[in-house]
Amino acid sequence: REQPAAYFGVKDGVLVNDVTTSSPAASAGLRAGDVITAINGEQVSSAAEITRALRDNRNETVDITITRDRKSQTLKATVPTRTPPAGRSGRGGLPV
């Protein structure tokens, strides 16, 4: 656990593996290799915590604190209102 922390320059956070083109995350400037450390100032250490924070702030602008190249910075993203596809129900992920 210490080696990845030393490499990315963070103790806790969630590594971004991929960002979908034209997604709110891409529009905010999030990139693969970034480490998300906080949403609206609240520390996050799992994908579930990020999903919960975004779900709680739908249709609002959120501050996403990331570490990129061992430097902390804050991006702003607008969380879209999620609408399930027609004819489908159940849970789905947020476009992050």
Side-chain angles (χ1 to χ4, degrees), residues 40-58:
N40 281 344
E42 296 292 322
Q43 298 292 329
V44 293
S45 59
S46 71
E49 289 176 351
I50 292 172
T51 300
R52 189 173 322 117
L54 295 177
R55 184 178 54 231
D56 292 345
N57 290 286
R58 284 195 176 130

Side-chain angles (χ1 to χ4, degrees), residues 12-31:
D12 286 313
V14 180
L15 177 64
V16 177
N17 291 319
D18 188 36
V19 178
T20 303
T21 304
S22 300
S23 68
S27 296
L30 203 63
R31 299 184 202 160

Side-chain angles (χ1 to χ4, degrees), residues 1 6-7 11 13 23 33-34 37-39 44 53 55 66-69 95:
R1 173 120 171 116
Y7 180 80
K11 287 184 178 183
S23 68
D34 290 344
T37 56
I39 305 285
V44 293
R55 184 178 54 231
I66 64 164
T67 298
R68 176 183 294 160
D69 298 327

